[in-house]
Amino acid sequence: MEDSIVKAPDGGWGWMVLLGCFVIQGFSYAFPKAVSVYFKELMYDFHVGYSDTAWISSIMLAMLYGTGPVSSILVNRFGCRPVMLVGGLLAASGMITASFSRNIIELFLTAGVVTGLGLSLNFQPSLIMIGRYFDKRRPLANGLAAAGSPVFLSVLSPVGQILLETFGWRGGFLIMGGLLLNCCTCAAMMRPLLNKKQEESKDKHEVERMLPATTANKDFTKYKGNLKASKFKCKLLDFSVLKNKGFVIYTIAKFFLILGVFIPPILLVNYAKDIEVPDTEAAFLLSIIGFIDIFARPSCGIIAGFRWIRPYTIYFLSLAVLFNGLTDICGARASDYNTLVVFCVFFGVSYGMIGALQFEVLMAIVGSHKFSSAIGLVLLIEAVAVLLGPPSAGRLVDAFKNYQLIFYMAGSEVLFSALFLAITTYCCLKQQKPKLGSQKDRAEAGDLQELEEITTNQLQMPSRRLLPNNMAGTPILDTNTVQDYDEKGTEHLNSEHSDGSPVQVENRDCF
């Protein structure tokens, strides 16, 4: 149970961890969109249509969201840093291998599946590490890390265009794969947290090795191992989060949010062209959203960290989602370029607020102890919504030739998500204060701390156990061997005979 009871430092090396998470989240969200600059050249080389090349980004996103439970299992089994190192190697090797592809199917398997899986193995552990290194400043940390997405999108797209013009799409894929190796550097920065007792354990283990291997040490080690195995057995994927009402409410609301929140940015350029906006100005609308998003995410993180707002971050998220839904509905009435610019400004603000708050709220609901399993299940549900939302909107456009209808549909789905999240939270959870983990988690953490205290005492003082009766028929306590414990871990001290006489204790020198 890595870092389960260690207090978050809220600084120190945590800022380096935050920098690594900023880079990783930037690559994870922006990379599937940035590779779209190569699609026209791929269509020419492989003689395929735009819908075929678009599957590369779709497969990347599907792997990013759909493999969430796989990432949770690996993190719970091996820890964050090893999983992220492997993910960085997979992401880079997928793009490097894709540069040698001979047909579009090979691109689907390399750039789509392999790179998407590598990004997934980096993205989810980065969120977990933020929760472990930050507590009081966690809203700010989440906002700063989430700002990596718009920053990298604004950088990777022009860089990809330059690489395409200079080296072609094969050289561009090769160099982009090399850039993804930076994920391995960021993964190396994800140092596991150790408490003071764990830091001192190395010295204690060295002392134990210098001492003879007595029966006392063996017996106590066996007892400690059995107690840990029985009470702290690591679950590869903890489904107990499904019993948390707050988590269920959050997951349902997030499903409807993802159904509609990605539709306006995808169809915005085509919508602008449909109302006779020039191509260059239509493409600039997405840049406006990205620029506003860069400042909206950290700003929202700062506001969410205020002491009078943080206990109500779930309602703050509902407000952001409501703001986004109303923006979509109002955007459907845009009839010229100026009104679309206003729409992009408000959409960028609301979209940035959602990006900064969504994982902060989930951490507050389930606690950092179960966040690794919770985020995997949430991403799996989001993968279904990603595969349903934009394609269904595209079919409606083909059927009705009306983009306004799509904006109304997306806004309605987002509004329903906001109202559902706020109303059900107030009705079902209004008597519960926000917690970081359940009572069971805190009890287990307390038991583990108590166990470590027992271990420390055991190394500092001689151990004892009951020996057979002496010549006088009185049991003797020997201080050279380990204590006896019952099934609950209680030592048999201060025992009495059947006649009520106390047990005699024989004191011996340990050395």
PDB file of all heavy atoms in Angstrom, residues 31 60 63 67 70 74 82-98 109-122 176-178 180-184:
ATOM      1  N   PHE A  31      -1.504  15.118 -27.530  1.00  0.00           N
ATOM      2  CA  PHE A  31      -0.873  14.339 -28.594  1.00  0.00           C
ATOM      3  C   PHE A  31      -1.884  13.726 -29.570  1.00  0.00           C
ATOM      4  O   PHE A  31      -1.674  13.787 -30.782  1.00  0.00           O
ATOM      5  CB  PHE A  31       0.015  13.249 -27.992  1.00  0.00           C
ATOM      6  CG  PHE A  31       1.053  12.728 -28.936  1.00  0.00           C
ATOM      7  CD1 PHE A  31       2.257  13.379 -29.092  1.00  0.00           C
ATOM      8  CD2 PHE A  31       0.819  11.587 -29.678  1.00  0.00           C
ATOM      9  CE1 PHE A  31       3.221  12.913 -29.975  1.00  0.00           C
ATOM     10  CE2 PHE A  31       1.766  11.110 -30.559  1.00  0.00           C
ATOM     11  CZ  PHE A  31       2.978  11.778 -30.705  1.00  0.00           C
ATOM     12  N   MET A  60      -6.335   6.277 -30.218  1.00  0.00           N
ATOM     13  CA  MET A  60      -5.512   6.801 -29.113  1.00  0.00           C
ATOM     14  C   MET A  60      -6.371   7.199 -27.922  1.00  0.00           C
ATOM     15  O   MET A  60      -6.083   6.840 -26.770  1.00  0.00           O
ATOM     16  CB  MET A  60      -4.712   8.015 -29.592  1.00  0.00           C
ATOM     17  CG  MET A  60      -3.440   7.705 -30.322  1.00  0.00           C
ATOM     18  SD  MET A  60      -2.485   9.220 -30.566  1.00  0.00           S
ATOM     19  CE  MET A  60      -1.173   8.600 -31.606  1.00  0.00           C
ATOM     20  N   MET A  63      -7.931   4.170 -26.194  1.00  0.00           N
ATOM     21  CA  MET A  63      -6.965   3.487 -25.336  1.00  0.00           C
ATOM     22  C   MET A  63      -6.676   4.302 -24.082  1.00  0.00           C
ATOM     23  O   MET A  63      -6.511   3.740 -22.985  1.00  0.00           O
ATOM     24  CB  MET A  63      -5.668   3.244 -26.107  1.00  0.00           C
ATOM     25  CG  MET A  63      -5.793   2.289 -27.281  1.00  0.00           C
ATOM     26  SD  MET A  63      -6.287   0.624 -26.785  1.00  0.00           S
ATOM     27  CE  MET A  63      -4.866   0.113 -25.840  1.00  0.00           C
ATOM     28  N   THR A  67      -8.453   1.854 -21.187  1.00  0.00           N
ATOM     29  CA  THR A  67      -7.523   0.999 -20.447  1.00  0.00           C
ATOM     30  C   THR A  67      -7.292   1.500 -19.027  1.00  0.00           C
ATOM     31  O   THR A  67      -6.306   1.110 -18.386  1.00  0.00           O
ATOM     32  CB  THR A  67      -6.173   0.912 -21.191  1.00  0.00           C
ATOM     33  OG1 THR A  67      -5.649   2.234 -21.384  1.00  0.00           O
ATOM     34  CG2 THR A  67      -6.340   0.238 -22.545  1.00  0.00           C
ATOM     35  N   VAL A  70      -6.901  -1.298 -16.440  1.00  0.00           N
ATOM     36  CA  VAL A  70      -5.605  -1.976 -16.586  1.00  0.00           C
ATOM     37  C   VAL A  70      -4.510  -1.173 -15.902  1.00  0.00           C
ATOM     38  O   VAL A  70      -3.666  -1.720 -15.175  1.00  0.00           O
ATOM     39  CB  VAL A  70      -5.279  -2.181 -18.080  1.00  0.00           C
ATOM     40  CG1 VAL A  70      -3.895  -2.813 -18.240  1.00  0.00           C
ATOM     41  CG2 VAL A  70      -6.328  -3.057 -18.739  1.00  0.00           C
ATOM     42  N   LEU A  74      -2.119  -2.280 -12.583  1.00  0.00           N
ATOM     43  CA  LEU A  74      -0.667  -2.243 -12.617  1.00  0.00           C
ATOM     44  C   LEU A  74      -0.106  -1.301 -11.561  1.00  0.00           C
ATOM     45  O   LEU A  74       0.918  -1.609 -10.925  1.00  0.00           O
ATOM     46  CB  LEU A  74      -0.200  -1.807 -14.017  1.00  0.00           C
ATOM     47  CG  LEU A  74      -0.497  -2.791 -15.155  1.00  0.00           C
ATOM     48  CD1 LEU A  74      -0.076  -2.200 -16.488  1.00  0.00           C
ATOM     49  CD2 LEU A  74       0.215  -4.117 -14.925  1.00  0.00           C
ATOM     50  N   PRO A  82       7.333   2.615 -11.836  1.00  0.00           N
ATOM     51  CA  PRO A  82       7.613   1.580 -12.845  1.00  0.00           C
ATOM     52  C   PRO A  82       6.594   1.558 -13.977  1.00  0.00           C
ATOM     53  O   PRO A  82       6.965   1.373 -15.147  1.00  0.00           O
ATOM     54  CB  PRO A  82       7.582   0.275 -12.032  1.00  0.00           C
ATOM     55  CG  PRO A  82       7.819   0.680 -10.630  1.00  0.00           C
ATOM     56  CD  PRO A  82       7.198   2.026 -10.490  1.00  0.00           C
ATOM     57  N   VAL A  83       5.307   1.761 -13.637  1.00  0.00           N
ATOM     58  CA  VAL A  83       4.272   1.752 -14.669  1.00  0.00           C
ATOM     59  C   VAL A  83       4.467   2.916 -15.642  1.00  0.00           C
ATOM     60  O   VAL A  83       4.320   2.764 -16.861  1.00  0.00           O
ATOM     61  CB  VAL A  83       2.874   1.805 -14.020  1.00  0.00           C
ATOM     62  CG1 VAL A  83       1.786   1.959 -15.069  1.00  0.00           C
ATOM     63  CG2 VAL A  83       2.620   0.544 -13.200  1.00  0.00           C
ATOM     64  N   MET A  84       4.825   4.084 -15.113  1.00  0.00           N
ATOM     65  CA  MET A  84       5.014   5.247 -15.970  1.00  0.00           C
ATOM     66  C   MET A  84       6.255   5.096 -16.865  1.00  0.00           C
ATOM     67  O   MET A  84       6.271   5.553 -18.006  1.00  0.00           O
ATOM     68  CB  MET A  84       5.120   6.508 -15.114  1.00  0.00           C
ATOM     69  CG  MET A  84       3.837   6.818 -14.365  1.00  0.00           C
ATOM     70  SD  MET A  84       3.991   8.192 -13.214  1.00  0.00           S
ATOM     71  CE  MET A  84       4.044   9.561 -14.355  1.00  0.00           C
ATOM     72  N   LEU A  85       7.299   4.461 -16.346  1.00  0.00           N
ATOM     73  CA  LEU A  85       8.485   4.216 -17.175  1.00  0.00           C
ATOM     74  C   LEU A  85       8.158   3.312 -18.352  1.00  0.00           C
ATOM     75  O   LEU A  85       8.547   3.577 -19.497  1.00  0.00           O
ATOM     76  CB  LEU A  85       9.594   3.604 -16.320  1.00  0.00           C
ATOM     77  CG  LEU A  85      10.316   4.552 -15.350  1.00  0.00           C
ATOM     78  CD1 LEU A  85      11.213   3.764 -14.402  1.00  0.00           C
ATOM     79  CD2 LEU A  85      11.136   5.570 -16.117  1.00  0.00           C
ATOM     80  N   VAL A  86       7.416   2.247 -18.080  1.00  0.00           N
ATOM     81  CA  VAL A  86       7.005   1.349 -19.161  1.00  0.00           C
ATOM     82  C   VAL A  86       6.075   2.073 -20.134  1.00  0.00           C
ATOM     83  O   VAL A  86       6.174   1.904 -21.355  1.00  0.00           O
ATOM     84  CB  VAL A  86       6.325   0.093 -18.575  1.00  0.00           C
ATOM     85  CG1 VAL A  86       5.746  -0.781 -19.685  1.00  0.00           C
ATOM     86  CG2 VAL A  86       7.313  -0.706 -17.746  1.00  0.00           C
ATOM     87  N   GLY A  87       5.178   2.897 -19.598  1.00  0.00           N
ATOM     88  CA  GLY A  87       4.273   3.654 -20.462  1.00  0.00           C
ATOM     89  C   GLY A  87       5.008   4.604 -21.386  1.00  0.00           C
ATOM     90  O   GLY A  87       4.672   4.728 -22.571  1.00  0.00           O
ATOM     91  N   GLY A  88       6.030   5.287 -20.873  1.00  0.00           N
ATOM     92  CA  GLY A  88       6.813   6.178 -21.719  1.00  0.00           C
ATOM     93  C   GLY A  88       7.517   5.437 -22.837  1.00  0.00           C
ATOM     94  O   GLY A  88       7.568   5.909 -23.986  1.00  0.00           O
ATOM     95  N   LEU A  89       8.064   4.262 -22.523  1.00  0.00           N
ATOM     96  CA  LEU A  89       8.725   3.460 -23.556  1.00  0.00           C
ATOM     97  C   LEU A  89       7.728   2.968 -24.601  1.00  0.00           C
ATOM     98  O   LEU A  89       8.031   2.962 -25.805  1.00  0.00           O
ATOM     99  CB  LEU A  89       9.441   2.269 -22.900  1.00  0.00           C
ATOM    100  CG  LEU A  89      10.650   2.602 -22.021  1.00  0.00           C
ATOM    101  CD1 LEU A  89      11.172   1.350 -21.336  1.00  0.00           C
ATOM    102  CD2 LEU A  89      11.748   3.250 -22.855  1.00  0.00           C
ATOM    103  N   LEU A  90       6.540   2.558 -24.156  1.00  0.00           N
ATOM    104  CA  LEU A  90       5.520   2.105 -25.105  1.00  0.00           C
ATOM    105  C   LEU A  90       5.068   3.241 -26.021  1.00  0.00           C
ATOM    106  O   LEU A  90       4.931   3.053 -27.240  1.00  0.00           O
ATOM    107  CB  LEU A  90       4.324   1.530 -24.352  1.00  0.00           C
ATOM    108  CG  LEU A  90       4.450   0.116 -23.792  1.00  0.00           C
ATOM    109  CD1 LEU A  90       3.205  -0.245 -22.993  1.00  0.00           C
ATOM    110  CD2 LEU A  90       4.664  -0.889 -24.910  1.00  0.00           C
ATOM    111  N   ALA A  91       4.810   4.419 -25.444  1.00  0.00           N
ATOM    112  CA  ALA A  91       4.348   5.555 -26.251  1.00  0.00           C
ATOM    113  C   ALA A  91       5.384   5.929 -27.305  1.00  0.00           C
ATOM    114  O   ALA A  91       5.044   6.173 -28.477  1.00  0.00           O
ATOM    115  CB  ALA A  91       4.037   6.747 -25.342  1.00  0.00           C
ATOM    116  N   ALA A  92       6.646   5.985 -26.892  1.00  0.00           N
ATOM    117  CA  ALA A  92       7.702   6.356 -27.844  1.00  0.00           C
ATOM    118  C   ALA A  92       7.897   5.276 -28.900  1.00  0.00           C
ATOM    119  O   ALA A  92       8.010   5.579 -30.104  1.00  0.00           O
ATOM    120  CB  ALA A  92       9.006   6.608 -27.091  1.00  0.00           C
ATOM    121  N   SER A  93       7.930   4.013 -28.481  1.00  0.00           N
ATOM    122  CA  SER A  93       8.158   2.928 -29.444  1.00  0.00           C
ATOM    123  C   SER A  93       7.003   2.821 -30.434  1.00  0.00           C
ATOM    124  O   SER A  93       7.216   2.451 -31.604  1.00  0.00           O
ATOM    125  CB  SER A  93       8.335   1.596 -28.700  1.00  0.00           C
ATOM    126  OG  SER A  93       7.164   1.264 -27.959  1.00  0.00           O
ATOM    127  N   GLY A  94       5.783   3.155 -30.007  1.00  0.00           N
ATOM    128  CA  GLY A  94       4.646   3.106 -30.924  1.00  0.00           C
ATOM    129  C   GLY A  94       4.796   4.104 -32.061  1.00  0.00           C
ATOM    130  O   GLY A  94       4.578   3.776 -33.236  1.00  0.00           O
ATOM    131  N   MET A  95       5.204   5.335 -31.747  1.00  0.00           N
ATOM    132  CA  MET A  95       5.376   6.343 -32.794  1.00  0.00           C
ATOM    133  C   MET A  95       6.597   6.057 -33.664  1.00  0.00           C
ATOM    134  O   MET A  95       6.575   6.269 -34.882  1.00  0.00           O
ATOM    135  CB  MET A  95       5.505   7.729 -32.161  1.00  0.00           C
ATOM    136  CG  MET A  95       4.241   8.258 -31.536  1.00  0.00           C
ATOM    137  SD  MET A  95       2.862   8.374 -32.708  1.00  0.00           S
ATOM    138  CE  MET A  95       3.480   9.606 -33.848  1.00  0.00           C
ATOM    139  N   ILE A  96       7.681   5.564 -33.050  1.00  0.00           N
ATOM    140  CA  ILE A  96       8.874   5.231 -33.832  1.00  0.00           C
ATOM    141  C   ILE A  96       8.572   4.089 -34.799  1.00  0.00           C
ATOM    142  O   ILE A  96       8.966   4.124 -35.978  1.00  0.00           O
ATOM    143  CB  ILE A  96      10.042   4.870 -32.893  1.00  0.00           C
ATOM    144  CG1 ILE A  96      10.463   6.111 -32.100  1.00  0.00           C
ATOM    145  CG2 ILE A  96      11.215   4.311 -33.679  1.00  0.00           C
ATOM    146  CD1 ILE A  96      11.489   5.826 -31.013  1.00  0.00           C
ATOM    147  N   THR A  97       7.859   3.073 -34.327  1.00  0.00           N
ATOM    148  CA  THR A  97       7.494   1.953 -35.203  1.00  0.00           C
ATOM    149  C   THR A  97       6.525   2.409 -36.286  1.00  0.00           C
ATOM    150  O   THR A  97       6.569   1.922 -37.428  1.00  0.00           O
ATOM    151  CB  THR A  97       6.870   0.823 -34.373  1.00  0.00           C
ATOM    152  OG1 THR A  97       7.741   0.481 -33.292  1.00  0.00           O
ATOM    153  CG2 THR A  97       6.634  -0.423 -35.240  1.00  0.00           C
ATOM    154  N   ALA A  98       5.638   3.348 -35.933  1.00  0.00           N
ATOM    155  CA  ALA A  98       4.671   3.833 -36.920  1.00  0.00           C
ATOM    156  C   ALA A  98       5.344   4.527 -38.098  1.00  0.00           C
ATOM    157  O   ALA A  98       4.793   4.563 -39.199  1.00  0.00           O
ATOM    158  CB  ALA A  98       3.680   4.787 -36.249  1.00  0.00           C
ATOM    159  N   LEU A 109      -2.389   0.037 -35.401  1.00  0.00           N
ATOM    160  CA  LEU A 109      -1.837  -0.828 -34.351  1.00  0.00           C
ATOM    161  C   LEU A 109      -0.681  -0.168 -33.613  1.00  0.00           C
ATOM    162  O   LEU A 109      -0.528  -0.377 -32.396  1.00  0.00           O
ATOM    163  CB  LEU A 109      -1.376  -2.157 -34.954  1.00  0.00           C
ATOM    164  CG  LEU A 109      -2.475  -3.032 -35.574  1.00  0.00           C
ATOM    165  CD1 LEU A 109      -1.870  -4.281 -36.213  1.00  0.00           C
ATOM    166  CD2 LEU A 109      -3.506  -3.422 -34.528  1.00  0.00           C
ATOM    167  N   THR A 110       0.138   0.601 -34.321  1.00  0.00           N
ATOM    168  CA  THR A 110       1.327   1.194 -33.695  1.00  0.00           C
ATOM    169  C   THR A 110       1.012   2.548 -33.068  1.00  0.00           C
ATOM    170  O   THR A 110       1.055   2.704 -31.840  1.00  0.00           O
ATOM    171  CB  THR A 110       2.449   1.322 -34.733  1.00  0.00           C
ATOM    172  OG1 THR A 110       1.944   2.038 -35.888  1.00  0.00           O
ATOM    173  CG2 THR A 110       2.927  -0.054 -35.178  1.00  0.00           C
ATOM    174  N   ALA A 111       0.703   3.528 -33.920  1.00  0.00           N
ATOM    175  CA  ALA A 111       0.416   4.868 -33.406  1.00  0.00           C
ATOM    176  C   ALA A 111      -0.861   4.900 -32.581  1.00  0.00           C
ATOM    177  O   ALA A 111      -0.968   5.678 -31.625  1.00  0.00           O
ATOM    178  CB  ALA A 111       0.309   5.864 -34.563  1.00  0.00           C
ATOM    179  N   GLY A 112      -1.856   4.060 -32.945  1.00  0.00           N
ATOM    180  CA  GLY A 112      -3.120   4.071 -32.228  1.00  0.00           C
ATOM    181  C   GLY A 112      -3.089   3.262 -30.948  1.00  0.00           C
ATOM    182  O   GLY A 112      -3.217   3.808 -29.845  1.00  0.00           O
ATOM    183  N   VAL A 113      -2.866   1.949 -31.067  1.00  0.00           N
ATOM    184  CA  VAL A 113      -2.979   1.056 -29.912  1.00  0.00           C
ATOM    185  C   VAL A 113      -1.771   1.185 -28.975  1.00  0.00           C
ATOM    186  O   VAL A 113      -1.913   1.424 -27.768  1.00  0.00           O
ATOM    187  CB  VAL A 113      -3.146  -0.407 -30.376  1.00  0.00           C
ATOM    188  CG1 VAL A 113      -3.148  -1.352 -29.172  1.00  0.00           C
ATOM    189  CG2 VAL A 113      -4.437  -0.564 -31.170  1.00  0.00           C
ATOM    190  N   VAL A 114      -0.562   1.024 -29.516  1.00  0.00           N
ATOM    191  CA  VAL A 114       0.631   1.003 -28.665  1.00  0.00           C
ATOM    192  C   VAL A 114       0.871   2.369 -28.023  1.00  0.00           C
ATOM    193  O   VAL A 114       1.079   2.473 -26.801  1.00  0.00           O
ATOM    194  CB  VAL A 114       1.859   0.559 -29.484  1.00  0.00           C
ATOM    195  CG1 VAL A 114       3.106   0.572 -28.605  1.00  0.00           C
ATOM    196  CG2 VAL A 114       1.635  -0.831 -30.057  1.00  0.00           C
ATOM    197  N   THR A 115       0.856   3.423 -28.828  1.00  0.00           N
ATOM    198  CA  THR A 115       1.073   4.757 -28.263  1.00  0.00           C
ATOM    199  C   THR A 115      -0.063   5.143 -27.312  1.00  0.00           C
ATOM    200  O   THR A 115       0.178   5.745 -26.258  1.00  0.00           O
ATOM    201  CB  THR A 115       1.191   5.799 -29.385  1.00  0.00           C
ATOM    202  OG1 THR A 115       2.288   5.456 -30.224  1.00  0.00           O
ATOM    203  CG2 THR A 115       1.414   7.185 -28.812  1.00  0.00           C
ATOM    204  N   GLY A 116      -1.304   4.806 -27.666  1.00  0.00           N
ATOM    205  CA  GLY A 116      -2.425   5.108 -26.776  1.00  0.00           C
ATOM    206  C   GLY A 116      -2.309   4.398 -25.444  1.00  0.00           C
ATOM    207  O   GLY A 116      -2.582   4.986 -24.387  1.00  0.00           O
ATOM    208  N   LEU A 117      -1.874   3.130 -25.462  1.00  0.00           N
ATOM    209  CA  LEU A 117      -1.680   2.400 -24.207  1.00  0.00           C
ATOM    210  C   LEU A 117      -0.569   3.026 -23.386  1.00  0.00           C
ATOM    211  O   LEU A 117      -0.685   3.158 -22.158  1.00  0.00           O
ATOM    212  CB  LEU A 117      -1.363   0.935 -24.511  1.00  0.00           C
ATOM    213  CG  LEU A 117      -1.067   0.039 -23.306  1.00  0.00           C
ATOM    214  CD1 LEU A 117      -2.259  -0.015 -22.358  1.00  0.00           C
ATOM    215  CD2 LEU A 117      -0.684  -1.364 -23.755  1.00  0.00           C
ATOM    216  N   GLY A 118       0.520   3.432 -24.053  1.00  0.00           N
ATOM    217  CA  GLY A 118       1.605   4.077 -23.320  1.00  0.00           C
ATOM    218  C   GLY A 118       1.175   5.383 -22.673  1.00  0.00           C
ATOM    219  O   GLY A 118       1.542   5.668 -21.525  1.00  0.00           O
ATOM    220  N   LEU A 119       0.402   6.185 -23.380  1.00  0.00           N
ATOM    221  CA  LEU A 119      -0.105   7.433 -22.794  1.00  0.00           C
ATOM    222  C   LEU A 119      -1.015   7.163 -21.608  1.00  0.00           C
ATOM    223  O   LEU A 119      -0.999   7.896 -20.614  1.00  0.00           O
ATOM    224  CB  LEU A 119      -0.843   8.244 -23.862  1.00  0.00           C
ATOM    225  CG  LEU A 119       0.006   8.800 -25.009  1.00  0.00           C
ATOM    226  CD1 LEU A 119      -0.881   9.483 -26.042  1.00  0.00           C
ATOM    227  CD2 LEU A 119       1.062   9.761 -24.496  1.00  0.00           C
ATOM    228  N   SER A 120      -1.816   6.113 -21.694  1.00  0.00           N
ATOM    229  CA  SER A 120      -2.703   5.758 -20.581  1.00  0.00           C
ATOM    230  C   SER A 120      -1.907   5.368 -19.340  1.00  0.00           C
ATOM    231  O   SER A 120      -2.259   5.750 -18.221  1.00  0.00           O
ATOM    232  CB  SER A 120      -3.626   4.610 -21.000  1.00  0.00           C
ATOM    233  OG  SER A 120      -4.404   4.160 -19.909  1.00  0.00           O
ATOM    234  N   LEU A 121      -0.832   4.600 -19.534  1.00  0.00           N
ATOM    235  CA  LEU A 121      -0.017   4.181 -18.395  1.00  0.00           C
ATOM    236  C   LEU A 121       0.760   5.341 -17.782  1.00  0.00           C
ATOM    237  O   LEU A 121       1.303   5.200 -16.683  1.00  0.00           O
ATOM    238  CB  LEU A 121       0.959   3.082 -18.835  1.00  0.00           C
ATOM    239  CG  LEU A 121       0.323   1.759 -19.294  1.00  0.00           C
ATOM    240  CD1 LEU A 121       1.400   0.758 -19.674  1.00  0.00           C
ATOM    241  CD2 LEU A 121      -0.591   1.186 -18.221  1.00  0.00           C
ATOM    242  N   ASN A 122       0.834   6.467 -18.474  1.00  0.00           N
ATOM    243  CA  ASN A 122       1.452   7.667 -17.908  1.00  0.00           C
ATOM    244  C   ASN A 122       0.426   8.598 -17.288  1.00  0.00           C
ATOM    245  O   ASN A 122       0.679   9.194 -16.234  1.00  0.00           O
ATOM    246  CB  ASN A 122       2.216   8.430 -19.005  1.00  0.00           C
ATOM    247  CG  ASN A 122       3.620   7.916 -19.190  1.00  0.00           C
ATOM    248  OD1 ASN A 122       4.537   8.308 -18.493  1.00  0.00           O
ATOM    249  ND2 ASN A 122       3.782   7.013 -20.131  1.00  0.00           N
ATOM    250  N   MET A 176       8.651  12.799 -33.187  1.00  0.00           N
ATOM    251  CA  MET A 176       7.610  12.867 -32.148  1.00  0.00           C
ATOM    252  C   MET A 176       7.745  11.709 -31.160  1.00  0.00           C
ATOM    253  O   MET A 176       7.507  11.868 -29.962  1.00  0.00           O
ATOM    254  CB  MET A 176       6.224  12.854 -32.794  1.00  0.00           C
ATOM    255  CG  MET A 176       5.926  14.060 -33.671  1.00  0.00           C
ATOM    256  SD  MET A 176       5.595  15.569 -32.748  1.00  0.00           S
ATOM    257  CE  MET A 176       3.829  15.431 -32.513  1.00  0.00           C
ATOM    258  N   GLY A 177       8.139  10.531 -31.671  1.00  0.00           N
ATOM    259  CA  GLY A 177       8.401   9.414 -30.769  1.00  0.00           C
ATOM    260  C   GLY A 177       9.550   9.714 -29.825  1.00  0.00           C
ATOM    261  O   GLY A 177       9.511   9.351 -28.639  1.00  0.00           O
ATOM    262  N   GLY A 178      10.595  10.385 -30.338  1.00  0.00           N
ATOM    263  CA  GLY A 178      11.680  10.785 -29.455  1.00  0.00           C
ATOM    264  C   GLY A 178      11.237  11.779 -28.399  1.00  0.00           C
ATOM    265  O   GLY A 178      11.684  11.723 -27.246  1.00  0.00           O
ATOM    266  N   LEU A 180       8.359  11.837 -27.026  1.00  0.00           N
ATOM    267  CA  LEU A 180       7.599  11.098 -26.013  1.00  0.00           C
ATOM    268  C   LEU A 180       8.496  10.390 -25.010  1.00  0.00           C
ATOM    269  O   LEU A 180       8.032   9.987 -23.939  1.00  0.00           O
ATOM    270  CB  LEU A 180       6.682  10.074 -26.694  1.00  0.00           C
ATOM    271  CG  LEU A 180       5.433  10.646 -27.369  1.00  0.00           C
ATOM    272  CD1 LEU A 180       4.690   9.556 -28.132  1.00  0.00           C
ATOM    273  CD2 LEU A 180       4.508  11.280 -26.344  1.00  0.00           C
ATOM    274  N   LEU A 181       9.783  10.217 -25.323  1.00  0.00           N
ATOM    275  CA  LEU A 181      10.699   9.634 -24.347  1.00  0.00           C
ATOM    276  C   LEU A 181      10.876  10.528 -23.126  1.00  0.00           C
ATOM    277  O   LEU A 181      11.363  10.079 -22.088  1.00  0.00           O
ATOM    278  CB  LEU A 181      12.059   9.371 -24.997  1.00  0.00           C
ATOM    279  CG  LEU A 181      12.132   8.168 -25.954  1.00  0.00           C
ATOM    280  CD1 LEU A 181      13.491   8.117 -26.628  1.00  0.00           C
ATOM    281  CD2 LEU A 181      11.856   6.868 -25.205  1.00  0.00           C
ATOM    282  N   ASN A 182      10.490  11.805 -23.255  1.00  0.00           N
ATOM    283  CA  ASN A 182      10.523  12.684 -22.085  1.00  0.00           C
ATOM    284  C   ASN A 182       9.578  12.209 -20.991  1.00  0.00           C
ATOM    285  O   ASN A 182       9.739  12.594 -19.823  1.00  0.00           O
ATOM    286  CB  ASN A 182      10.170  14.118 -22.495  1.00  0.00           C
ATOM    287  CG  ASN A 182      11.289  14.796 -23.269  1.00  0.00           C
ATOM    288  OD1 ASN A 182      12.323  15.132 -22.714  1.00  0.00           O
ATOM    289  ND2 ASN A 182      11.086  14.984 -24.554  1.00  0.00           N
ATOM    290  N   CYS A 183       8.588  11.407 -21.361  1.00  0.00           N
ATOM    291  CA  CYS A 183       7.699  10.827 -20.342  1.00  0.00           C
ATOM    292  C   CYS A 183       8.483   9.931 -19.392  1.00  0.00           C
ATOM    293  O   CYS A 183       8.150   9.836 -18.203  1.00  0.00           O
ATOM    294  CB  CYS A 183       6.580  10.029 -21.011  1.00  0.00           C
ATOM    295  SG  CYS A 183       5.399  11.036 -21.943  1.00  0.00           S
ATOM    296  N   CYS A 184       9.514   9.245 -19.889  1.00  0.00           N
ATOM    297  CA  CYS A 184      10.350   8.413 -19.020  1.00  0.00           C
ATOM    298  C   CYS A 184      11.123   9.278 -18.027  1.00  0.00           C
ATOM    299  O   CYS A 184      11.289   8.912 -16.855  1.00  0.00           O
ATOM    300  CB  CYS A 184      11.307   7.579 -19.858  1.00  0.00           C
ATOM    301  SG  CYS A 184      10.507   6.373 -20.932  1.00  0.00           S
TER     302      CYS A 184
END
